[in-house]
């Protein structure tokens, strides 16, 4: 397995990539992730944290009345997200921060959203633990990820691609967050695998009384 990048290098590379991200992800959105952002964001309510908010592509997908906070490692991505929020007339609090050490107190949010972000975090287990920490008891975790396929040939291709994407922007192709949620203190209420098992949508609830 290719060795990932540290936070300093990840930030530098995502800053450099920020201006091209929307264009490059557009093709994959149509072919692989169509409807995923709407599925995830449409279930969010109350005080919502979006982890790895990127350029703010999810902003139009949230229901009215959501109080949205976004966090991202890359200042370059956040700059574009801020401009998108202004264009849409939305009030969004944007913060620079690491998904593995979220800059918020415990039990701050009713929902945490992360779309196509856990694949790019050096340690997804730590990030999930942080999402659990900042959620209120009974709060909702909503995820959209590209994941390792259960089809052997596709998974082999993903592993080959991963050798390059991890070195380039720290992007893992074969992770699957779903099995990590129950040990972290979540109850999965809904999950769907699509596109030959390469895309997964998950909704989970933070179990009451479970320590972060």
């Amino acid at each position: 397995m290719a060795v990932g990048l540290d936070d300093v290098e990840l930030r530098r590379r995502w800053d450099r990539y920020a201006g091209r991200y929307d264009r490059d992800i557009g093709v994959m959105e149509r072919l692989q992730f169509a409807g995923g952002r709407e599925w995830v964001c449409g279930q969010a309510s109350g005080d919502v944290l979006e982890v790895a908010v990127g350029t703010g592509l999810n902003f139009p997908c949230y229901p009215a009345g959501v109080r949205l906070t976004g966090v991202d490692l890359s200042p370059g991505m956040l700059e574009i997200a801020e401009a998108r929020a202004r264009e849409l007339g939305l009030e969004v609090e944007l913060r620079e921060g690491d998904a593995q050490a979220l800059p918020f107190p415990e039990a701050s949010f009713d929902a945490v959203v992360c779309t196509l972000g856990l694949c790019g975090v050096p340690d997804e287990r730590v990030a999930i633990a942080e999402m659990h920490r900042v959620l209120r008891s009974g709060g909702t975790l909503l995820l959209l990820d590209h994941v390792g396929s259960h089809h052997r040939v596709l998974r082999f291709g993903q592993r080959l691609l991963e050798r390059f994407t991890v070195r380039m922007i720290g992007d893992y192709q074969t992770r699957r967050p779903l099995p990590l949620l129950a040990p972290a203190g979540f109850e999965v209420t809904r999950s769907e695998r699509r596109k030959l098992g390469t895309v997964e949508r998950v909704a989970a609830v933070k179990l009451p009384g479970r320590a972060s």
Side-chain angles (χ1 to χ4, degrees):
M1 176 63 64
V3 177
L5 306 170
D6 62 29
D7 288 349
V8 173
E9 184 62 18
L10 272 176
R11 182 182 291 107
R12 186 184 73 82
R13 294 197 184 192
W14 279 107
D15 278 347
R16 188 172 61 188
Y17 185 46
R20 294 170 26 220
Y21 178 78
D22 288 3
R23 181 191 65 209
D24 289 356
I25 197 68
V27 174
M28 295 303 296
E29 290 276 359
R30 293 189 295 273
L31 295 178
Q32 195 168 15
F33 307 120
R37 296 182 187 276
E38 292 82 358
W39 188 94
V40 167
C41 300
Q43 300 179 65
S45 62
D47 296 313
V48 178
L49 173 65
E50 184 174 337
V51 177
V53 68
T55 62
L57 287 173
N58 286 337
F59 291 168
C61 303
Y62 286 103
V66 161
R67 297 175 294 278
L68 183 60
T69 301
V71 63
D72 201 277
L73 186 68
S74 164
M77 300 288 272
L78 288 171
E79 185 177 346
I80 297 171
E82 184 176 9
R84 175 166 275 126
R86 285 197 304 268
E87 291 171 2
L88 295 170
L90 300 176
E91 292 187 11
V92 183
E93 180 184 351
L94 295 172
R95 298 272 296 273
E96 182 181 341
D98 186 349
Q100 300 165 120
L102 294 171
F104 307 102
E106 292 184 12
S108 296
F109 299 97
D110 300 305
V112 172
V113 168
C114 187
T115 60
L116 310 178
L118 282 174
C119 53
V121 177
D123 191 331
E124 75 274 33
R125 288 175 173 81
V126 174
I128 289 170
E130 277 291 278
M131 294 174 189
H132 183 274
R133 181 183 66 80
V134 301
L135 267 173
R136 295 170 182 142
S137 181
T140 305
L141 176 65
L142 297 158
L143 303 175
L144 170 69
D145 287 287
H146 60 75
V147 297
S149 176
H150 50 264
H151 291 274
R152 185 177 301 176
V153 174
L154 277 177
R155 190 175 180 87
F156 177 75
Q158 288 175 312
R159 288 194 179 280
L160 290 179
L161 179 61
E162 192 171 65
R163 293 177 180 272
F164 298 97
T165 58
V166 171
R167 291 190 179 97
M168 289 171 58
I169 51 174
D171 186 28
Y172 291 83
Q173 304 294 315
T174 58
R175 285 179 172 174
R176 193 177 181 219
L178 181 62
L180 306 178
L181 297 184
F186 291 100
E187 179 183 358
V188 175
T189 57
R190 187 176 176 188
S191 66
E192 299 179 1
R193 290 189 76 165
R194 294 171 169 246
K195 300 296 181 182
L196 297 177
T198 61
V199 177
E200 191 158 57
R201 309 171 179 182
V202 178
V205 173
K206 178 178 177 177
L207 294 172
R210 176 70 179 261
S212 296

